[in-house]
């Protein structure tokens, strides 16, 4: 059956797979196209268990937001937020505190369009189109400044996005510029693709990585020390530091989930 493209914003290329749409499909979403679904099936074939990694990453996001809400954080800047799916940041944060403010940022017009529909009527959650590689364009955007008070603590979320930023784009410098806008007691949340731990796993991961090289967003694999270096000295890692998603403050209800060593995560507090 032919797909209906009437809802697609102008200028969106639907002939090549898009990372946010592929991730949406991996999590059971519906805002994706045949090209995204076919790409994901190839990635799963190359790297069995990829769906478990996607779900572990999403579960970490929910736990981290709940942890931050319990720590008193009431402002969230989610950069690379992706297409809305189950357990969105504003749903988790506003369950803990109804007046929690959430600003979503994504480079993909489809993610922004779908988020606007979801957030309609919510005065404490908004979305803008923006690029992590241009942090000032996000930090000084008028919609961001209307919602987020940078004189108070803010949690900046960079979940499953920095592994699409190559070293040449200076990801550490990007995070430093974001951190400079935050007051002490703010937080940085990150998840990132890490290296497999077995020879068989490394071979499978390399097959999947080569698939992503054919897309506009190749994946960069970084280890725990490299991820800690990206975070830099302006932040102090929250225990357990850089860890697998399944090991970061695990939920007892998720105790049976298999470990995912390639889904590396960290939460860090601004000094």
């Amino acid at each position: 059956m032919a797909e209906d493209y009437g809802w697609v914003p102008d200028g969106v290329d639907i002939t090549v797979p898009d990372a946010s749409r592929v991730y949406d499909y991996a999590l059971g979403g519906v805002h994706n196209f045949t090209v995204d679904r076919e790409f994901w099936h190839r990635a799963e074939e190359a790297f069995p268990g990829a769906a478990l990694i996607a779900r572990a990453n999403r579960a970490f996001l929910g736990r981290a937001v709940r942890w931050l809400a319990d720590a008193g954080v009431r402002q969230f800047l989610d950069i690379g937020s992706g297409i809305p799916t189950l357990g969105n940041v504003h749903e988790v944060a506003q369950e803990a505190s109804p007046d929690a403010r959430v600003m979503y940022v994504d480079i993909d017009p489809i993610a922004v369009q779908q988020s606007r529909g979801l957030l309609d009527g919510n005065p404490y959650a908004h979305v803008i189109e923006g690029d992590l590689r241009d942090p000032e364009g996000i930090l000084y955007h008028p919609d961001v400044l209307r919602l987020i008070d940078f004189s108070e603590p803010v949690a900046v979320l960079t979940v499953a996005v920095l592994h699409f930023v190559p070293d040449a784009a200076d990801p550490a410098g990007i995070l430093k510029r974001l951190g400079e806008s935050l007051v002490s007691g703010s937080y940085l949340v990150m998840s990132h693709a890490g290296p497999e731990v077995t020879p068989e796993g490394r071979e499978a991961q390399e097959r999947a990585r080569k698939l992503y090289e054919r897309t506009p967003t190749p994946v960069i694999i970084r280890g725990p020390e490299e991820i800690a270096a990206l975070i830099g000295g302006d932040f102090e890692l929250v225990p357990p530091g850089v860890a697998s998603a399944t090991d970061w403050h695990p939920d007892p209800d998720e105790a049976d989930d298999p470990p995912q060593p390639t889904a590396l995560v960290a939460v860090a507090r601004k000094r």
Side-chain angles (χ1 to χ4, degrees), residues 81-225:
S81 52
I83 293 172
T85 188
L86 184 66
N88 292 294
V89 171
H90 73 279
E91 295 171 334
V92 178
Q94 291 176 355
E95 181 180 3
S97 178
D99 62 350
R101 287 169 280 173
V102 178
M103 175 58 73
Y104 293 107
V105 183
D106 204 274
I107 196 173
D108 177 23
I110 289 179
V112 174
Q113 178 196 67
Q114 297 302 319
S115 296
R116 283 184 180 137
L118 177 71
L119 301 173
D120 186 36
N122 188 329
Y124 298 121
H126 296 287
V127 61
I128 63 166
E129 188 173 334
D131 188 339
L132 174 63
R133 294 167 297 182
D134 176 22
E136 287 77 18
I138 295 170
L139 295 169
Y140 296 106
H141 192 288
D143 290 350
V144 173
L145 294 175
R146 274 192 290 269
L147 186 68
I148 301 296
D149 179 359
F150 286 98
S151 70
E152 298 290 336
V154 178
V156 175
L157 313 179
T158 59
V159 174
V161 63
L162 279 160
H163 49 231
F164 297 120
V165 180
D167 291 342
D170 190 17
I174 290 169
L175 293 182
K176 184 173 180 59
R177 286 148 66 192
L178 286 168
E180 288 171 349
S181 71
L182 305 176
V183 298
S184 177
S186 296
Y187 287 87
L188 174 68
V189 178
M190 180 196 300
S191 71
H192 196 295
E196 262 287 356
V197 296
T198 67
E200 298 82 3
R202 286 192 290 271
E203 289 179 6
Q205 186 178 53
E206 180 63 11
R207 290 194 296 269
R209 191 193 66 78
K210 287 182 177 178
L211 280 176
Y212 272 91
E213 282 188 342
R214 305 175 195 172
T215 75
T217 50
V219 172
I220 294 86
I221 309 297
R222 296 184 174 103
E225 292 183 358

Side-chain angles (χ1 to χ4, degrees), residues 17 26-27 35 55 63 72 82 107 125 190 196 230 249:
L27 293 172
V35 66
R55 290 196 289 271
R63 295 197 309 277
I107 196 173
M190 180 196 300
E196 262 287 356
L230 291 185
H249 295 262

Side-chain angles (χ1 to χ4, degrees), residues 38-51 204-205 207-208 211:
E38 290 177 345
F39 179 86
W40 177 249
H41 291 311
R42 290 197 300 273
E44 275 196 299
E45 184 178 353
F47 193 11
Q205 186 178 53
R207 290 194 296 269
L211 280 176

